[in-house]
Amino acid sequence: MTSPDVPHPEALEASALRPSLPSPLQEVADERFARHGVRLLLKRDDLIHPDLVGNKWRKLAPNLGAAAGRDLLTFGGAYSNHLRATAAAGRLLGTDTIGVVRGQELADRPLNPSLARCAADGMRLHFVDRSTYRHKEEPEVLAHILRETDAQDAYVVPEGGSNSLAVHGCAALGEELRGRADVVAVACGTGGTLAGLAAGLAPGQRALGIPVLKGDFLAADVEALQRSAFGARRGTWTLDTRFHFGGYARVPGELEAFADDFGARHGLPVERLYVAKLLYGLVALTERGAFTRGTTLAAVITGRPLP
């Protein structure tokens, strides 16, 4: 599945970024699934690396290989896990990182814990207004950002780390799950993990994406990522957009209570922005009869709660 054009991150694996792969696959006993005849597995990608957790390793590793030691410039919102992972990778590899943050108004405010962690890891934060951020992929806008940050020679990683290299990196996730589950579910932000996961699964398996952002744009983005990576749509995948709880970083009390309960039942620290919405959606879908009796369902745990 790995493209010959994708740099193999052997040097990274031999360094401080060495991952623990394949990640464990754990079966859990949960009566909310068992009474409907559904077997639940947890794909513990949260255990891959202490700093580059889950899909962040899978998406960043091939991009870090392509960067070949150059400075890294990437994009994210104020609570972006991708920014944190990129900053951590820069610290571990001794590479300078620049984070372009959505929201010029944040520049004069105290850093939230997520951005403070980025800064502590050495990331140089550059705040831009929301209009500029929306157009960041346009060549003229990107060139202006690179000039403003004095990063003309930097390697640019897109928002969320999702590009064709990342999709190839995430295909390994699907390959690790071949023959292990009928349906493999993952929370989605920019769609790169789902695009690769679906491509890596075997025929007869289905990937299910649970978007954590509002809107119906993600299907087109996932298909575009697959076409960029493989030249065509790959695998069987669907999206269910009903479990975003109001949008990114929205964690109402109901979701908090669910995450606390799931964690207590299974000894799993449940990350709120992605994993909680995924698991909540899977419980709801199972109780609605979305999975036939005898289905083996795997949930990809892409992250863990961050301090």
Side-chain angles (χ1 to χ4, degrees), residues 118-204:
C118 291
D121 279 340
M123 176 173 275
R124 181 154 49 91
L125 300 175
H126 179 74
F127 298 88
V128 299
D129 64 80
R130 294 170 187 271
S131 175
T132 298
Y133 194 90
R134 281 195 300 272
H135 298 283
K136 62 187 178 297
E137 295 179 0
E138 297 177 8
E140 290 185 2
V141 176
L142 178 58
H144 176 71
I145 291 172
L146 292 172
R147 287 193 302 271
E148 277 200 328
T149 55
D150 194 25
Q152 290 93 329
D153 296 324
Y155 180 86
V156 178
V157 181
E159 182 178 24
S162 290
N163 57 12
S164 59
L165 291 177
V167 172
H168 278 282
C170 290
L173 170 61
E175 292 166 1
E176 291 174 23
L177 287 162
R178 286 185 176 182
R180 307 298 297 275
D182 303 298
V183 179
V184 181
V186 66
C188 300
T190 51
T193 304
L194 177 63
L197 166 66
L201 293 173

Side-chain angles (χ1 to χ4, degrees), residues 11 13 39 55 70 82 104 131 161 176-177 191 200 216 221 235 253 256 270:
E13 294 179 8
R39 180 176 172 231
N55 59 342
R70 293 156 61 193
H82 167 67
Q104 180 63 48
S131 175
E176 291 174 23
L177 287 162
D216 295 323
D221 289 354
E256 284 278 8
V270 178

